[in-house]
Amino acid sequence: MKLFALSFLIGCLVSLVHSEDVSLKPDNVDGLIKSGTWLILHYSPYCIHCRNFAPHWKKATEDLDHLAEESDFHFGSIDCSTQGDLCDAHGIMGYPTVQLWENGENVERYTAGNYYDPLVAYVKDKIAAASLHNDNGVEEDTEKEAQPDDETDNNEEEKAEEEEEEVEESDESNPEEIEEEMEAESENDVVEADILPNPDGVSVDLDSARLREIATNEVPWFIKFYAPWCPHCKALAPTWTEMASQLRGQVNVGEVNCQELPSLCEEFKIRGYPTLQMLGHGDPIDYHSDRSLISLMKFANEHAGLDEEIKELDANELSQYLTVKDVALIYLHNEKNGKVPELLEVVSNQFRSTIPFFSTQDEKVLEKYDISPSDLPAVLIAKDNSVRLYHGSHDLFRNTATNRDAFVNWIENEQYPLITKLGPSNQQSVLSDSHSVVVLNIVHAKDTVSQSKFRNIATVWHKSSPSDQIKVIFAEMDRAMWRNYVLDKFGVEHDETAKMVIYKPDAFEYYSEDVNGHELSLDKPEGLYISLKSLKDLKGHSTLAFHEKVGSTIAHTMNWIATHWLISIIGFGFALSFVYRYLTYRSPKRLGNHAGNSVLPSFRSVNSYDYAHKD
């Protein structure tokens, strides 16, 4: 019985180690990684980059699962949101972080792209290097052991050489077939790399042929022409890199080294450095604004252009778009439904800055969202790893005011994910939503700990707040991108700590303290929850400058007059009559009564000394 139990435990351990991706925790990590080679992913489920990387990691670990037995190479992952101490022990500063461990020792950090191809290439390189090292070690040991018995060893060597020759012949006989197989495998990767613009979130180093190709096609590229010795170029470099990362999946970004390619830069009439241009629209569009991150991103988004039509995608294309979009509206249909309804196209223009619209008839998508063909056409919003189905999809083919209002109202209620990342394209629409209250987490992009806390706060609020509660949008602003904006509007200095404020768009006011006068804190969310339910008791601060306050007051007054026009007419009538009576009673000369030529009557009594009797 004991032997059976021991065998069972060993079998479970072997099965665990040979699984595609082992979940590592403090109680098993030391025992598992003390032998063999381990590639370990440190992640947080609340990190958007981790969620984007997840399908690529999963695909790679599934495809390379055989390496556990063949090369003692294993894959493991650690959830840093629940295993924070373990991630701290591994020296993790941000997510996702992938480390290579050998026999319990941290060897190096994986720094290639967070995609299937570079990840698989990295693993194969490590396997090949380890195999070469082992082969050299075996040959040296064989030579040392060969000395005692020359004849036996000579025979064995001859056999080994014959076997090696056979293996080499078999390997050399079909190199093209092997290459074709590898290409076929790469075609079946998670998603194709060229579906989205800027899939890696990097600025591509361009050569002459590539730049000329970009200049002649219609795909927008934001290009930096620079020289390594230029001080302004050096100052722009980190901002440009961050911009490329922020524009991942949105706009292609590239750069040209004019020191290495002077004739190319002369061909494109570059006269100074850095020169920034948007290519892909015929003539280049020069960038002349300041070189702040937010200004650069606004220019890129505006001039790259938004799709005027709803994209028709297959399952793979849609999957890749959803890796870089927090929320998306998907229209599912078949050939019988025909083209996209007119009502859907009209409404898509209204929400283009906050939510992308896609269309698909791929059966794989139907299976993924559990939509049967009889349910088509169907409209859903995908966000936060779940979907929201619109129950009036068939009404979209009748473009009436009632159907349009119902559809718009549904989108307005569902368009924001749990946490909305504010960028140049959606910042204005989110912070001007007069029907909602915005809770802002002003945080560094790499501060995943604070982002995780904020996500937990938002989750608790949405689960506990009643449906008739005030609409609350939880949004994050990157300190680096919005440093000047948050300083001007919310008085938030640029430092390393996360700052949370409540913003009320309709009043242009923000609140940084709870009802008890304590600063809103990610570590004490109770103060935020109470404050959201008692906004009238909070002490607010205006986000408007003096001239903006005057303009806002005038706008509110005109809006009130337009809304209450009848009361306004009556009020103006009383006011004018009072002014008229005052003027005619106090100063009739101003109205011409004294001369007797006034067309307006006077209410002032005539004094006796104004009359002169002829007699």
Side-chain angles (χ1 to χ4, degrees):
M1 186 67 180
K2 292 182 179 180
L3 182 60
F4 173 78
L6 181 61
S7 301
F8 177 77
L9 290 174
I10 292 175
C12 290
L13 181 60
V14 171
S15 174
L16 177 64
V17 173
H18 286 178
S19 63
E20 296 157 0
D21 181 19
V22 181
S23 179
L24 300 177
K25 298 179 181 179
D27 58 353
N28 69 356
V29 61
D30 292 335
L32 290 175
I33 70 173
K34 68 181 180 180
S35 63
T37 304
W38 285 79
L39 194 64
I40 302 175
L41 167 65
H42 304 77
Y43 72 98
S44 168
Y46 309 115
C47 161
I48 186 172
H49 299 295
C50 301
R51 297 201 300 272
N52 294 338
F53 184 35
H56 301 274
W57 175 264
K58 183 175 183 294
K59 175 69 173 175
T61 57
E62 289 175 350
D63 291 350
L64 301 177
D65 181 38
H66 60 279
L67 296 178
E69 293 184 1
E70 296 177 1
S71 305
D72 200 14
F73 193 103
H74 311 275
F75 296 89
S77 58
I78 301 175
D79 183 353
C80 293
S81 67
T82 58
Q83 310 296 334
D85 293 339
L86 182 56
C87 291
D88 290 341
H90 286 191
I92 304 304
M93 303 299 293
Y95 314 124
T97 295
V98 179
Q99 294 177 340
L100 183 70
W101 289 66
E102 290 182 357
N103 300 323
E105 298 291 334
N106 183 6
V107 176
E108 65 183 26
R109 177 182 174 183
Y110 168 77
T111 57
N114 292 336
Y115 283 89
Y116 178 89
D117 288 335
L119 180 62
V120 171
Y122 174 83
V123 173
K124 290 182 177 180
D125 288 344
K126 294 301 176 184
I127 294 296
S131 176
L132 180 61
H133 175 75
N134 292 336
D135 289 344
N136 291 336
V138 170
E139 289 177 1
E140 292 175 0
D141 293 341
T142 304
E143 290 177 0
K144 292 179 181 178
E145 295 174 358
Q147 297 175 358
D149 192 351
D150 293 340
E151 294 181 0
T152 305
D153 291 340
N154 288 337
N155 294 333
E156 291 179 355
E157 287 177 3
E158 291 177 359
K159 293 180 179 179
E161 289 176 0
E162 292 177 357
E163 291 176 357
E164 288 178 2
E165 289 176 359
E166 291 177 359
V167 172
E168 289 176 359
E169 289 176 0
S170 62
D171 290 342
E172 294 175 357
S173 62
N174 55 356
E176 295 181 358
E177 294 180 6
I178 295 174
E179 186 175 351
E180 290 177 359
E181 290 177 1
M182 294 178 65
E183 291 178 356
E185 289 177 359
S186 64
E187 290 177 357
N188 294 325
D189 289 347
V190 185
V191 283
E192 296 179 8
D194 58 352
I195 295 173
L196 281 178
N198 191 9
D200 297 323
V202 298
S203 179
V204 181
D205 192 13
L206 302 173
D207 58 17
S208 300
R210 189 75 179 96
L211 183 63
R212 293 189 183 101
E213 179 186 349
I214 290 171
T216 55
N217 65 29
E218 298 181 354
V219 179
W221 277 77
F222 195 15
I223 308 296
K224 175 182 71 171
F225 296 88
Y226 73 101
W229 49 262
C230 164
H232 297 296
C233 302
K234 294 178 182 178
L236 175 62
T239 305
W240 186 262
T241 301
E242 178 64 21
M243 181 203 69
S245 176
Q246 295 283 349
L247 292 175
R248 175 174 174 261
Q250 303 174 55
V251 182
N252 289 310
V253 180
E255 54 190 67
V256 177
N257 186 339
C258 291
Q259 180 173 302
E260 295 182 354
L261 301 169
S263 59
L264 179 66
C265 294
E266 185 177 351
E267 177 184 335
F268 280 80
K269 301 179 180 179
I270 304 303
R271 299 290 181 263
Y273 309 124
T275 294
L276 311 179
Q277 293 183 343
M278 179 66 71
L279 301 182
H281 295 290
D283 294 334
I285 303 174
D286 290 308
Y287 176 81
H288 297 295
S289 186
D290 65 90
R291 294 168 187 156
S292 65
L293 178 61
I294 187 65
S295 297
L296 289 167
M297 290 188 62
K298 281 184 177 179
F299 175 86
N301 280 302
E302 289 173 0
H303 291 85
L306 296 170
D307 297 316
E308 297 181 357
E309 298 181 355
I310 299 175
K311 281 183 175 290
E312 178 72 26
L313 306 175
D314 61 27
N316 278 345
E317 293 170 334
L318 181 62
S319 176
Q320 186 165 351
Y321 268 102
L322 293 180
T323 63
V324 296
K325 305 292 184 183
D326 292 330
V327 58
L329 186 144
I330 306 171
Y331 173 65
L332 302 102
H333 64 103
N334 53 29
E335 294 180 358
K336 294 180 180 179
N337 305 133
K339 64 179 183 178
V340 175
E342 179 185 0
L343 190 153
L344 192 63
E345 292 181 344
V346 171
V347 173
S348 68
N349 295 324
Q350 181 177 342
F351 293 94
R352 200 171 295 280
S353 64
T354 57
I355 178 171
F357 282 58
F358 302 122
S359 173
T360 184
Q361 53 182 332
D362 196 317
E363 293 181 357
K364 294 180 180 178
V365 180
L366 301 181
E367 294 176 2
K368 178 179 179 180
Y369 295 123
D370 195 23
I371 304 293
S372 65
S374 60
D375 295 329
L376 298 179
V379 174
L380 58 84
I381 287 180
K383 62 178 182 177
D384 302 321
N385 296 320
S386 62
V387 296
R388 311 290 197 278
L389 188 65
Y390 182 58
H391 296 293
S393 300
H394 292 276
D395 296 333
L396 299 180
F397 287 93
R398 295 188 297 275
N399 190 7
T400 64
T402 302
N403 292 341
R404 186 166 54 253
D405 291 343
F407 188 47
V408 168
N409 183 64
W410 175 74
I411 297 177
E412 287 178 342
N413 291 328
E414 300 290 351
Q415 65 178 317
Y416 299 115
L418 182 64
I419 303 296
T420 300
K421 304 286 185 180
L422 294 188
S425 61
N426 67 350
Q427 172 259 345
Q428 184 174 359
S429 60
V430 173
L431 296 185
S432 61
D433 190 339
S434 59
H435 302 293
S436 65
V437 171
V438 184
V439 179
L440 289 170
N441 183 30
I442 304 168
V443 63
H444 282 285
K446 295 182 179 180
D447 186 0
T448 53
V449 174
S450 297
Q451 293 175 31
S452 177
K453 292 178 181 178
F454 189 63
R455 177 170 285 273
N456 289 337
I457 291 173
T459 301
V460 172
W461 170 262
H462 284 299
K463 287 183 177 179
S464 60
S465 61
S467 57
D468 58 349
Q469 188 76 34
I470 184 172
K471 179 184 176 183
V472 178
I473 301 172
F474 287 83
E476 283 185 343
M477 302 188 79
D478 180 7
R479 276 184 177 274
M481 184 189 304
W482 299 100
R483 60 183 303 171
N484 295 329
Y485 181 87
V486 298
L487 178 61
D488 294 339
K489 295 296 183 182
F490 310 119
V492 177
E493 299 286 346
H494 186 69
D495 55 32
E496 298 300 321
T497 59
K499 177 77 172 181
M500 189 164 56
V501 298
I502 301 173
Y503 178 59
K504 208 160 179 263
D506 61 341
F508 299 101
E509 287 186 340
Y510 74 93
Y511 315 94
S512 58
E513 298 176 345
D514 61 21
V515 291
N516 297 318
H518 300 141
E519 184 175 331
L520 296 173
S521 172
L522 293 171
D523 297 318
K524 298 178 180 179
E526 297 81 9
L528 174 67
Y529 299 146
I530 296 173
S531 300
L532 288 174
K533 297 176 182 179
S534 311
L535 289 175
K536 294 181 179 179
D537 300 329
L538 298 180
K539 182 180 179 181
H541 306 277
S542 177
T543 62
L544 301 177
F546 176 76
H547 67 282
E548 292 176 322
K549 291 180 181 179
V550 174
S552 176
T553 301
I554 295 174
H556 278 293
T557 302
M558 297 302 295
N559 184 58
W560 190 93
I561 292 174
T563 305
H564 306 87
W565 59 272
L566 181 59
I567 298 176
S568 300
I569 291 175
I570 296 174
F572 277 121
F574 275 112
L576 290 173
S577 64
F578 175 79
V579 172
Y580 169 74
R581 185 179 181 111
Y582 176 83
L583 293 176
T584 56
Y585 181 81
R586 294 290 184 185
S587 184
K589 291 182 179 181
R590 296 179 182 178
L591 299 175
N593 272 355
H594 187 69
N597 57 359
S598 173
V599 295
L600 298 174
S602 173
F603 289 92
R604 181 176 178 178
S605 60
V606 181
N607 295 326
S608 59
Y609 57 78
D610 289 334
Y611 287 91
H613 201 278
K614 293 181 179 181
D615 297 333

